[in-house]
Amino acid sequence: MQRPKGFTLIELLVVISIIALLVGILLPALGAARKTAISLKCLSNHRQLAIGLGSYANDFSDRFPLKKIKLYSSTGIPLQEWYVSQTWLGTAGKVSGTAASRFGADVRPLNGYIGGPYEDPKADVPMALCPADEQQEQDAIIYSWGTSYRANNTHGRSLTINHLKTGPNAPFKDQDGRLVTQVTKPSKTVAIFESQAIEVSDDQDGTTAEQIDDRFFWHTNPRDYRFNTSFCDGHAALVTYEPDKWVTDEYTWNVDDFPTRPGNNDNLEP
């Protein structure tokens, strides 16, 4: 008797089992490859940011951008100033009523050197977006702040000079961009970094490294503290940030050889 054409049930189950096995083997590898590709795109952004930052300094007497953003009315009347480390690049944040929603793509100083200038405050600034951040949707840092990245201008020995008026509760007087020549180790000094890197290096809010949300590790496994970073000498790299370490053999947040995290009032001379 001639056997009918086609697969038997056993043969079909064997084929399905083999396919399932191959999928199980290949999916993790594909996921890792996709994560690597996203990290490389982000690192490419950082290289362009480093080049743009150097061009900015060339145009502004060898100084880094200010920390502050000044806002004006349509008639030129000064309205308000903001002092946050997300002011260098990006677009307007999407959370209405917040500081970041008020300073858009048209006033962030580095935008003109990374694809701008941008006349529309809400214009997209592609190099301000890490594709891994975009996947977080409304939890994305760019959704709130208009950029996935932050500038190293958070303290007294960073890339801005924090002048304060006298008195314990006095407001900021001015925050000038520091001179390029004041950076003693440009190849180690952080210029622009992924926002969550500072969550690892600075525990001022009491958050320990183990308490950081797993989603903050965009390019690595959780507790693998590597983040893409631009440096003052123009290069970019995937850097390991050590919890509560402000200065290591691989990086420093300080423009000089100060060994630890200084306070906001612990300033260098201009």
Side-chain angles (χ1 to χ4, degrees):
M1 181 177 179
Q2 186 177 5
R3 178 182 173 183
K5 295 181 179 179
F7 292 108
T8 66
L9 178 60
I10 293 177
E11 289 171 334
L12 186 60
L13 290 174
V14 169
V15 170
I16 292 174
S17 299
I18 292 172
I19 293 173
L21 179 61
L22 291 174
V23 168
I25 293 172
L26 293 175
L27 274 182
L30 292 173
R34 184 171 182 273
K35 203 166 191 176
T36 299
I38 289 174
S39 179
L40 290 174
K41 174 63 174 68
C42 175
L43 187 61
S44 176
N45 286 349
H46 274 279
R47 291 193 179 104
Q48 295 302 313
L49 296 179
I51 293 170
L53 187 59
S55 298
Y56 176 97
N58 286 337
D59 285 349
F60 288 88
S61 303
D62 285 336
R63 286 193 180 273
F64 292 102
L66 302 175
K67 181 174 184 177
K68 65 184 175 183
I69 289 287
K70 291 183 177 181
L71 300 183
Y72 298 88
S73 70
S74 58
T75 58
I77 298 174
L79 297 176
Q80 202 164 9
E81 295 181 354
W82 299 97
Y83 301 88
V84 293
S85 58
Q86 289 90 349
T87 55
W88 279 9
L89 69 150
T91 188
K94 296 181 180 179
V95 181
S96 62
T98 62
S101 68
R102 296 188 176 97
F103 46 87
D106 56 329
V107 297
R108 303 198 189 201
L110 201 55
N111 282 353
Y113 297 85
I114 56 171
Y118 298 94
E119 296 181 359
D120 181 358
K122 297 183 179 180
D124 290 332
V125 182
M127 270 180 277
L129 170 64
C130 172
D133 186 26
E134 186 177 31
Q135 295 178 355
Q136 308 298 325
E137 298 180 346
Q138 290 194 7
D139 290 330
I141 294 170
I142 196 167
Y143 184 89
S144 300
W145 288 100
T147 176
S148 304
Y149 309 121
R150 292 171 66 172
N152 179 15
N153 58 15
T154 59
H155 62 285
R157 275 181 156 80
S158 60
L159 301 183
T160 52
I161 304 165
N162 303 327
H163 292 298
L164 300 179
K165 291 182 179 179
T166 58
N169 299 313
F172 286 103
K173 178 182 179 182
D174 200 0
Q175 298 208 2
D176 299 319
R178 200 176 296 283
L179 283 167
V180 172
T181 53
Q182 290 180 286
V183 180
T184 59
K185 296 179 179 178
S187 64
K188 284 183 57 178
T189 304
V190 174
I192 298 170
F193 57 95
E194 293 178 306
S195 287
Q196 58 271 47
I198 202 168
E199 302 292 341
V200 173
S201 295
D202 186 6
D203 66 352
Q204 297 300 302
D205 62 357
T207 301
T208 65
E210 288 72 22
Q211 293 172 321
I212 298 173
D213 194 320
D214 287 355
R215 293 177 300 173
F216 276 16
F217 297 90
W218 288 343
H219 310 304
T220 65
N221 294 324
R223 314 299 158 241
D224 180 347
Y225 303 106
R226 289 178 294 165
F227 302 96
N228 286 322
T229 304
S230 310
F231 289 88
C232 291
D233 69 340
H235 87 280
L238 187 65
V239 176
T240 300
Y241 284 89
E242 298 183 25
D244 201 25
K245 291 288 186 181
W246 211 249
V247 178
T248 71
D249 291 337
E250 192 173 358
Y251 65 87
T252 177
W253 298 91
N254 304 326
V255 297
D256 62 348
D257 290 325
F258 199 79
T260 60
R261 183 194 194 279
N264 282 330
N265 297 333
D266 189 4
N267 299 307
L268 295 168
E269 291 298 321

